[in-house]
Amino acid sequence: FLLAGGSEAPMPAARALCHRRIEAPRAGDCAEARVRAMSVEEEGSDCDSTQEDQQHADGDQDERGQALVANGVYSAEEVNDTVFEELQLHPAAARDAQNLWAEYLRLAEHPEAAADSLYSAIYAAAPGLQALFKTSRPILAARLLRGIGGIIGHLNDPRSLKTSTEALGFQHLSYEVTVPRVALIRDAILDVISTELGIDQLNSALLGMKVALNYVGGAFIYVRVRYAARLNILSSSWAEANKQSEKLIGSGKVEEGGGKGGSGGAGLGHAQDPAHNAKAITNLVVVGGDSAGKARHDDKNVAIPRTFGEMFRFNSCVMGFAEQAWMQEVLQSFTAIVENISSSYRLQEECDVLSLKMATCKGGVNFSEYKAVMLASLRSLVKDWGSLHEVSWSWLWENVERLLKSMMGKLAKQEVALNAFLNSLDEAAKMTIRNEVYAKFFAMAPAGQDFFKQSTTRLHFLADKWMVMTLDMYREPSRMVEDLSALGLRHVGYGIPTELFGPFVTAAVHAIRMVTQDEFSEESFRWSLSLISRILVRSISEGSTVVMRAINANSGKNLRKAVACAPRGQRALWTLNVQVGTKSISPLMLAVESGSLDVAKAIIIDLLTIRADRDRYYYGVDLLFGRHPDIVRRLFLDGPVLVPTLFDGLIWRSRLTERGRRRVVYFVEHLLVDSDGEFAKTIDWIVQNGDPKIACHPVVSYIIDLVWTGVAARAFLYRKAWLLTTTCVFMLSQTILNSGLHDEVSDCVWIRAGILACRCFIYMVSWPSLAVVHVQRGRFDIRTKNFVHIFGLKVPAHFVEFNSIVSLSLCVILFVMLTLCPIVHCLGKPSADGTHLLFTERCEEGDLYLPTYAFFSMCGMLCYWALLADLSVFSNRVSAFALIFGHVLSEVGLFLLGLAFFVFACACSTVALKVDQAHFVSIPAAALTFVQTFLDMTSSEEYSEESKYPVLFVPVCFFVFITKVYMVSLLIAQLSGAYAATFNDMLGWARLKRGEVSVASMGSVTKKRWDNFLASLRLDEPCEFGEGDVGMPGAIQMTEPASLNITTFEMIRRFGGSTSPLAMWPEDDTTKADSEQDSLERVELLVKKVMKRLDAVGKTRQRSSVCDSSGMSSKTGSSCNTSDLSGHHSKHDG
């Protein structure tokens, strides 16, 4: 009765039951006469012969209990678990038991009080069964009351009583029901009723109720034993129908990547629409001679159903049920129902969720239609289908149908009532609920205060949230189940005890009851919140593994102990996947995101440790990157200290050397290739992180160099070939062919034609291509909202990069040069000497623009050479030098800023002297003079002129000392310090630069070339760990000098013994060290306790000796109190 009690009927029905004012028999009244009336000989006698009836009541109790039953199989004393027949209770006895139950309910203040009395009695009488009480007290007490009420209500209908009892027994399949436990619970229930009503245990009505409880308890045991065979048949046939390996139904095992364990999980896939189903029938069933023959012989055009889901959809279309939406909802949930048929608690949850989904479907529901399609599909898929299969699957569907029918028509009304109630709440009522729910909850469960650490406003927000969730559960059950599964998994990381959910539901219902008198609205709210609580509790219970508990404690040692218990074939999955329904959570990512880095490090080390037995190697790198393809990026964001640990686990080095070389294996497949066979983003993430020390890691430097030399270098060179070409053409037109034309006009027309051709190429080909590139990239950044804020302005990210800035500047410079080109302005105009030369740039108008044009030509040349600086990436040493030059440039900038300050300070000071000196008559002239002085551009004669003015000589000397002595020395010191700080990382910066260029160049690498590169790496071939020792694929093997990375231990942990994947790994050195550490910690703790006790004993003896000495000197003036001393000893001994 405890967990199910049939379907969850609304509380108003139970409350209505207590209004039945039926006078129950009392002790000393005509009840004993009714006992006599139960026998056939004395049937029809009335209450006048009370003396005779009283003498008959003093007989044997077993005989009186047996007289209540017509068939003689059941009695009031014994629990019969060998048969399960209809209970033929005497009609008068049935009526008396029903009247007794009604009187018990009537005397209670309300049904909740009666339910709580029964619950308290059973809970106190059966301490060993208290672990089974998982639901909150009010909900479980209400179920208990409904369960007993349902049994008593069917006593006068043996067939209905057997059906309901069988349903209850089915719901208790997962519990070990025994005869002593039945007797214990039975006596507790009867004691409560007899005590509340003040009747004797020999009361006939009480005896009738005792017979009924014995009947139900025996039926539970009988059903549990009998239905074990049915469960095995269901398990084997379901596995065969879905082409799965057989597994026991109700085992609770969650398969990776499943979705079969969740409420309404899509274990069979999404239901197809009717049009698709009709099309499938058209493809499968072709009517007509030639067409049918062609369809039978053409396998490509025939899609044969091979699983239950496919066969069900096909049969539903054939039988005309393709448009029944509710059948598709049942189909999606059917896997979870079948696999949890032995768990009444879980089956009730699945059926409740399914009822919500079916309530959202339009049209009528005929459960016999689904049964027909289900059986037809199973007959087609199960080879040895027989009568036992037919009975077992029919029995399963009958139980599911009963649970679904109990909720049909109620949920829509509950949704309407709950919606109206929530909409009627004003702000005052909502505030009352917010305050009362937490006050009641903290009063019922004080331990819950430790888990609510947020502010009061946050708690109020959560209260509003779960009130809305109760309504969303009716409206969007599928989405809510997904969200609640994810929420439950998050609560696993919070370490929330599931025992707190029951009191919270009770507190919420209590708070709702304070603001409404509508019992139906209250029941609607309670039912929805109870379902939410059950889903959360299940998610937390299924997700609370030993690994998750180790994460909560942030103990790497506990994590190692936890995974040591795992089968070697599933050890990696324990640390990578905890799945509840269709939602899963990664313990590794949970540890990283929650800051439990000690546990995260232990998980990564355990995953990337190579273990081996005689049959196979076990290495978790494939599972790790398969579960988290972006593991490198996630670690960079949330746990950068774990990145070296990850990369260290991707290297294997041999302990042995051969001819001064050591065998090394790099497992870099997942760092190079993603799941689609494309170039992985690992190098891009490393470059974005910008840590030069990570870039110097052997694995990172290897993959960067491998990609660069394999594919990126050629692509980069092809990309830079155009820049090299345009640079050469620009140099040819501006510096080589144009040299000497500024002073005299060349008479060679071919040189002028060459200059014109080169400039036409620059202005008409190079410049437009640059402009198009910048426009496209700028538009892309604007479209994707990729902006960078500079001085409060949004700038597309493309125009912030150094190369982009230089390239954009070059584009602008080339446009200005086009507008100022002297050749364009001299077309058709005579030269300076009056002659008409073709393509000349020396004319009156050309001479006007030539100086400005020459300046922009110089700037353009500098931009071209700046863009060519990327070619240094071909050599790491050259690239490192160029990067160091850029890193220390900031120190030079500071020096120039200080120099400018002193130049203008001294210039302003000297101009204020009002000396008759041409170099210091104005601030610009004085500043120019000081700059020339700093650069040693002044002559000695100028110094002799300044010496004529002693007042002017002082600031000049001050400027020379400060800038040329002090500041230059300071600049040298700064450059030396900056170089020393950057020198250790300069190779890392160079590798990061090469990686950045490689990532940018991979966009121009063709698919064919990339595939050829991967084929050349032979990543699909197993590598060798030694001569004849074939290892695992996905790695690249090479050798390195033996002295480069000295390895003195075997990096592969090899074990003997059993090679079964289900066996655990033997205890290794790490586990032994943890055990020894635990032993030492226990010894240390014991020593501390002993020392603390010895200190307490020493202080006590010292105080006792002081008291004795003081007592000898003065009997009356002793400061020690004998009672105090004895009290201290007593406390210490305790």
Side-chain angles (χ1 to χ4, degrees):
F1 324 115
L2 298 180
L3 295 179
S7 62
E8 297 212 9
M11 289 296 294
R15 291 179 176 174
L17 186 61
C18 71
H19 293 295
R20 296 173 53 190
R21 296 185 172 272
I22 302 176
E23 294 297 332
R26 298 286 185 175
D29 202 9
C30 58
E32 300 300 331
R34 290 187 178 180
V35 175
R36 182 168 51 86
M38 291 173 190
S39 61
V40 178
E41 296 80 9
E42 299 178 359
E43 184 176 3
S45 302
D46 60 19
C47 301
D48 295 336
S49 55
T50 56
Q51 182 70 25
E52 183 181 355
D53 296 339
Q54 182 64 34
Q55 293 176 357
H56 182 74
D58 295 332
D60 184 73
Q61 181 180 349
D62 183 47
E63 295 179 359
R64 303 178 71 186
Q66 186 68 33
L68 300 174
V69 186
N71 55 10
V73 178
Y74 302 99
S75 67
E77 289 300 317
E78 297 180 358
V79 177
N80 192 346
D81 60 348
T82 58
V83 295
F84 182 36
E85 300 178 356
E86 293 183 358
L87 178 63
Q88 300 293 338
L89 196 64
H90 198 281
R95 287 194 302 271
D96 288 344
Q98 292 172 349
N99 292 337
L100 182 66
W101 179 253
E103 179 66 13
Y104 170 73
L105 294 177
R106 187 182 67 83
L107 293 179
E109 296 180 358
H110 47 78
E112 288 84 354
D116 190 72
S117 298
L118 294 173
Y119 180 92
S120 301
I122 296 175
Y123 194 82
L129 303 181
Q130 294 178 2
L132 302 177
F133 291 67
K134 300 178 181 179
T135 313
S136 63
R137 182 185 181 109
I139 296 176
L140 206 56
R143 291 180 182 175
L144 177 64
L145 187 71
R146 288 193 296 270
I148 299 177
I151 294 171
I152 302 301
H154 290 95
L155 287 178
N156 53 2
D157 187 357
R159 180 173 297 179
S160 299
L161 177 61
K162 183 179 179 181
T163 302
S164 60
T165 302
E166 184 180 18
L168 285 174
F170 160 71
Q171 295 177 5
H172 285 75
L173 284 177
S174 57
Y175 302 97
E176 186 178 358
V177 183
T178 61
V179 174
R181 289 182 174 181
V182 172
L184 192 65
I185 296 176
R186 176 201 65 196
D187 294 340
I189 295 173
L190 296 177
D191 289 343
V192 171
I193 296 177
S194 63
T195 302
E196 292 290 336
L197 299 180
I199 60 177
D200 188 16
Q201 290 286 344
L202 301 179
N203 184 279
S204 62
L206 204 62
L207 291 176
M209 189 175 294
K210 189 174 183 180
V211 173
L213 295 178
N214 285 342
Y215 171 76
V216 173
F220 283 5
I221 302 174
Y222 178 84
V223 168
R224 187 171 186 270
V225 174
R226 179 186 176 187
Y227 289 161
R230 292 186 179 180
L231 293 179
N232 291 332
I233 292 176
L234 293 175
S235 176
S236 59
S237 57
W238 183 251
E240 184 179 356
N242 288 280
K243 303 298 183 291
Q244 300 171 349
S245 60
E246 184 176 341
K247 57 183 179 181
L248 183 62
I249 293 180
S251 61
K253 178 180 177 182
V254 180
E255 298 293 335
E256 181 187 10
K260 302 177 182 178
S263 299
L268 297 173
H270 295 288
Q272 298 178 358
D273 57 282
H276 182 85
N277 294 332
K279 183 178 180 181
I281 292 180
T282 304
N283 294 334
L284 287 170
V285 183
V286 183
V287 181
D290 296 339
S291 300
K294 183 178 179 181
R296 284 194 299 268
H297 292 88
D298 190 0
D299 294 337
K300 296 182 179 179
N301 296 329
V302 178
I304 302 177
R306 299 183 181 277
T307 63
F308 176 79
E310 297 172 356
M311 185 63 72
F312 186 93
R313 296 187 183 96
F314 172 74
N315 287 330
S316 62
C317 294
V318 173
M319 300 171 68
F321 302 140
E323 297 182 358
Q324 299 292 335
W326 68 270
M327 296 182 68
Q328 301 301 329
E329 293 291 349
V330 178
L331 178 62
Q332 292 186 29
S333 303
F334 200 62
T335 300
I337 291 175
V338 174
E339 293 184 351
N340 296 282
I341 188 64
S342 62
S343 175
S344 61
Y345 187 80
R346 180 66 183 281
L347 181 63
Q348 183 70 52
E349 177 191 320
E350 295 292 341
C351 290
D352 287 345
V353 174
L354 180 56
S355 300
L356 290 171
K357 294 180 179 179
M358 294 173 60
T360 60
C361 299
K362 298 180 179 179
V365 176
N366 187 353
F367 291 103
S368 60
E369 296 176 354
Y370 187 92
K371 180 180 179 180
V373 179
M374 175 192 71
L375 294 177
S377 303
L378 290 170
R379 294 189 195 106
S380 303
L381 296 171
V382 180
K383 296 180 180 179
D384 56 345
W385 184 269
S387 59
L388 293 178
H389 292 82
E390 195 84 16
V391 171
S392 299
W393 284 99
S394 299
W395 166 78
L396 178 144
W397 180 248
E398 288 171 0
N399 286 277
V400 173
E401 180 180 348
R402 177 182 53 80
L403 294 176
L404 295 177
K405 280 185 176 180
S406 64
M407 301 304 299
M408 296 299 296
K410 298 179 181 179
L411 297 178
K413 298 178 181 178
Q414 291 181 358
E415 178 185 353
V416 173
L418 183 58
N419 184 33
F421 165 69
L422 294 180
N423 291 333
S424 64
L425 294 177
D426 54 10
E427 189 61 29
K430 291 181 180 179
M431 185 58 65
T432 301
I433 296 175
R434 295 165 187 162
N435 294 329
E436 288 297 327
V437 63
Y438 293 109
K440 183 69 174 178
F441 172 68
F442 293 150
M444 296 178 61
Q449 301 181 58
D450 298 334
F451 297 94
F452 285 87
K453 305 175 183 179
Q454 298 89 348
S455 63
T456 303
T457 55
R458 173 65 177 175
L459 296 182
H460 290 174
F461 168 79
L462 295 178
D464 295 339
K465 189 70 175 179
W466 53 254
M467 281 194 291
V468 175
M469 290 172 64
T470 56
L471 184 60
D472 290 343
M473 197 70 202
Y474 288 100
R475 294 176 173 176
E476 301 176 276
S478 300
R479 180 185 64 83
M480 283 301 299
V481 169
E482 298 288 329
D483 295 345
L484 289 174
S485 298
L487 182 62
L489 289 176
R490 287 201 299 271
H491 278 72
V492 172
Y494 303 151
I496 304 295
T498 55
E499 294 81 6
L500 298 178
F501 284 88
F504 188 84
V505 173
T506 303
V509 175
H510 172 77
I512 293 296
R513 189 176 301 161
M514 296 183 65
V515 297
T516 181
Q517 299 297 326
D518 186 358
E519 296 180 354
F520 191 71
S521 299
E522 176 189 335
E523 172 61 20
S524 303
F525 175 83
R526 184 205 61 79
W527 187 89
S528 178
L529 190 61
S530 173
L531 180 58
I532 292 173
S533 174
R534 282 183 285 159
I535 296 175
L536 288 175
V537 169
R538 173 182 56 81
S539 302
I540 295 175
S541 300
E542 295 179 2
S544 296
T545 62
V546 289
V547 175
M548 300 297 288
R549 288 194 289 270
I551 293 174
N552 293 333
N554 191 21
S555 173
K557 182 174 63 177
N558 293 346
L559 186 279
R560 289 188 289 270
K561 290 181 181 179
V563 296
C565 305
R568 61 184 64 179
Q570 299 180 3
R571 181 163 178 154
L573 290 177
W574 279 31
T575 59
L576 288 176
N577 189 52
V578 175
Q579 188 157 349
V580 177
T582 57
K583 290 293 183 180
S584 62
I585 189 173
S586 170
L588 173 60
M589 282 297 102
L590 178 63
V592 173
E593 293 172 355
S594 62
S596 301
L597 299 184
D598 187 16
V599 177
K601 183 176 181 180
I603 291 176
I604 293 175
I605 293 176
D606 188 81
L607 285 171
L608 300 182
T609 298
I610 305 176
R611 297 177 178 87
D613 53 27
R614 295 185 302 274
D615 291 345
R616 60 185 64 87
Y617 285 93
Y618 294 87
Y619 187 42
V621 62
D622 292 335
L623 289 175
L624 174 60
F625 282 91
R627 183 71 171 89
H628 302 291
D630 59 342
I631 180 66
V632 177
R633 182 182 65 86
R634 300 288 295 275
L635 291 183
F636 275 136
L637 294 176
D638 300 323
V641 297
L642 301 176
V643 176
T645 304
L646 174 66
F647 289 144
D648 289 341
L650 302 179
I651 304 176
W652 174 84
R653 289 188 174 92
S654 175
R655 180 173 58 88
L656 306 177
T657 60
E658 299 177 5
R659 299 178 182 179
R661 307 287 295 181
R662 187 186 309 277
R663 192 189 299 261
V664 183
V665 175
Y666 292 108
F667 293 89
V668 296
E669 179 182 11
H670 298 285
L671 302 181
L672 293 174
V673 191
D674 60 12
S675 58
D676 298 328
E678 303 294 336
F679 178 62
K681 296 183 178 180
T682 306
I683 298 179
D684 189 17
W685 295 330
I686 294 172
V687 171
Q688 292 179 7
N689 183 65
D691 189 351
K693 292 182 173 57
I694 294 296
C696 292
H697 193 278
V699 170
V700 177
S701 60
Y702 180 74
I703 62 172
I704 290 178
D705 292 341
L706 184 65
V707 173
W708 172 255
T709 57
V711 288
R714 186 184 301 178
F716 174 73
L717 191 58
Y718 289 163
R719 192 159 57 93
K720 287 294 182 181
W722 175 253
L723 179 62
L724 287 171
T725 301
T726 54
T727 303
C728 293
V729 172
F730 191 80
M731 290 176 57
L732 189 65
S733 66
Q734 302 300 125
T735 60
I736 299 176
L737 296 179
N738 202 24
S739 60
L741 292 181
H742 296 289
D743 297 328
E744 57 184 12
V745 179
S746 175
D747 295 332
C748 183
V749 67
W750 298 109
I751 294 179
R752 297 196 301 271
I755 293 174
L756 179 62
C758 292
R759 293 185 180 180
C760 288
F761 176 82
I762 294 295
Y763 299 146
M764 301 178 65
V765 179
S766 177
W767 174 73
S769 62
L770 282 176
V772 169
V773 168
H774 289 294
V775 170
Q776 290 179 348
R777 293 183 179 179
R779 289 180 58 188
F780 178 78
D781 287 340
I782 295 174
R783 190 181 302 113
T784 58
K785 297 181 179 180
N786 185 17
F787 295 106
V788 176
H789 292 271
I790 299 178
F791 300 111
L793 300 177
K794 288 184 177 180
V795 179
H798 167 69
F799 300 110
V800 180
E801 301 175 0
F802 174 76
N803 284 351
S804 299
I805 294 175
V806 176
S807 179
L808 181 63
S809 302
L810 178 61
C811 183
V812 175
I813 289 172
L814 292 180
F815 176 76
V816 175
M817 290 178 63
L818 174 62
T819 60
L820 299 177
C821 183
I823 295 180
V824 175
H825 290 281
C826 290
L827 288 177
K829 297 179 181 180
S831 60
D833 56 359
T835 60
H836 290 272
L837 296 178
L838 188 61
F839 309 138
T840 183
E841 62 179 6
R842 301 306 300 269
C843 64
E844 183 177 356
E845 190 173 354
D847 293 340
L848 180 64
Y849 293 104
L850 185 59
T852 307
Y853 179 82
F855 173 77
F856 281 100
S857 176
M858 176 195 68
C859 295
M861 186 60 66
L862 291 177
C863 290
Y864 272 113
W865 281 102
L867 293 175
L868 290 177
D870 283 346
L871 295 176
S872 62
V873 75
F874 281 95
S875 173
N876 281 330
R877 291 179 59 86
V878 176
S879 179
F881 175 78
L883 291 171
I884 286 181
F885 176 82
H887 278 79
V888 302
L889 196 61
S890 59
E891 308 298 332
V892 178
L894 293 176
F895 170 79
L896 294 178
L897 181 62
L899 179 63
F901 173 79
F902 283 107
V903 165
F904 283 99
C906 294
C908 294
S909 302
T910 53
V911 171
L913 294 176
K914 304 297 183 180
V915 295
D916 187 13
Q917 232 292 338
H919 296 292
F920 299 99
V921 295
S922 63
I923 294 178
L928 179 61
T929 302
F930 281 116
V931 171
Q932 293 175 346
T933 302
F934 175 77
L935 298 176
D936 291 333
M937 298 174 63
T938 56
S939 60
S940 57
E941 291 79 4
E942 294 177 349
Y943 277 108
S944 60
E945 294 180 2
E946 294 171 0
S947 60
K948 300 177 180 179
Y949 303 94
V951 179
L952 181 60
F953 188 73
V954 173
V956 172
C957 292
F958 172 78
F959 173 79
V960 172
F961 174 78
I962 288 295
T963 56
K964 303 188 67 172
V965 178
Y966 179 75
M967 291 190 63
V968 171
S969 301
L970 183 61
L971 174 62
I972 295 173
Q974 286 180 313
L975 293 178
S976 300
Y979 181 83
T982 313
F983 177 79
N984 296 328
D985 298 332
M986 66 176 184
L987 190 58
W989 291 113
R991 294 193 183 280
L992 288 176
K993 181 63 177 179
R994 174 174 287 186
E996 181 182 2
V997 174
S998 299
V999 171
S1001 302
M1002 288 302 296
S1004 58
V1005 176
T1006 61
K1007 175 67 175 176
K1008 180 180 179 181
R1009 190 151 177 269
W1010 172 249
D1011 293 339
N1012 293 336
F1013 168 71
L1014 293 180
S1016 65
L1017 298 180
R1018 297 185 296 180
L1019 294 174
D1020 55 341
E1021 298 181 6
C1023 60
E1024 289 188 355
F1025 292 128
E1027 188 175 0
D1029 185 6
V1030 180
M1032 298 161 290
I1036 299 176
Q1037 182 176 325
M1038 56 181 298
T1039 59
E1040 66 180 15
S1043 59
L1044 185 60
N1045 294 285
I1046 300 176
T1047 304
T1048 58
F1049 61 94
E1050 179 59 48
M1051 298 184 68
I1052 300 178
R1053 299 183 182 179
R1054 302 182 183 274
F1055 299 92
S1058 174
T1059 61
S1060 172
L1062 299 178
M1064 297 185 300
W1065 290 111
E1067 188 177 11
D1068 56 8
D1069 295 338
T1070 305
T1071 309
K1072 292 179 180 179
D1074 291 338
S1075 301
E1076 293 176 357
Q1077 184 179 359
D1078 291 341
S1079 301
L1080 292 176
E1081 289 178 356
R1082 287 194 294 269
V1083 171
E1084 183 180 1
L1085 182 61
L1086 182 60
V1087 170
K1088 288 182 178 180
K1089 289 182 178 180
V1090 172
M1091 294 299 297
K1092 185 177 181 180
R1093 179 170 295 183
L1094 291 176
D1095 291 341
V1097 172
K1099 293 179 179 179
T1100 302
R1101 291 179 178 177
Q1102 183 179 4
R1103 182 178 179 186
S1104 177
S1105 62
V1106 171
C1107 292
D1108 292 342
S1109 62
S1110 62
M1112 294 176 60
S1113 61
S1114 175
K1115 294 183 178 180
T1116 60
S1118 177
S1119 62
C1120 295
N1121 192 309
T1122 306
S1123 62
D1124 293 343
L1125 184 60
S1126 62
H1128 179 79
H1129 280 289
S1130 299
K1131 182 179 179 181
H1132 172 70
D1133 294 339

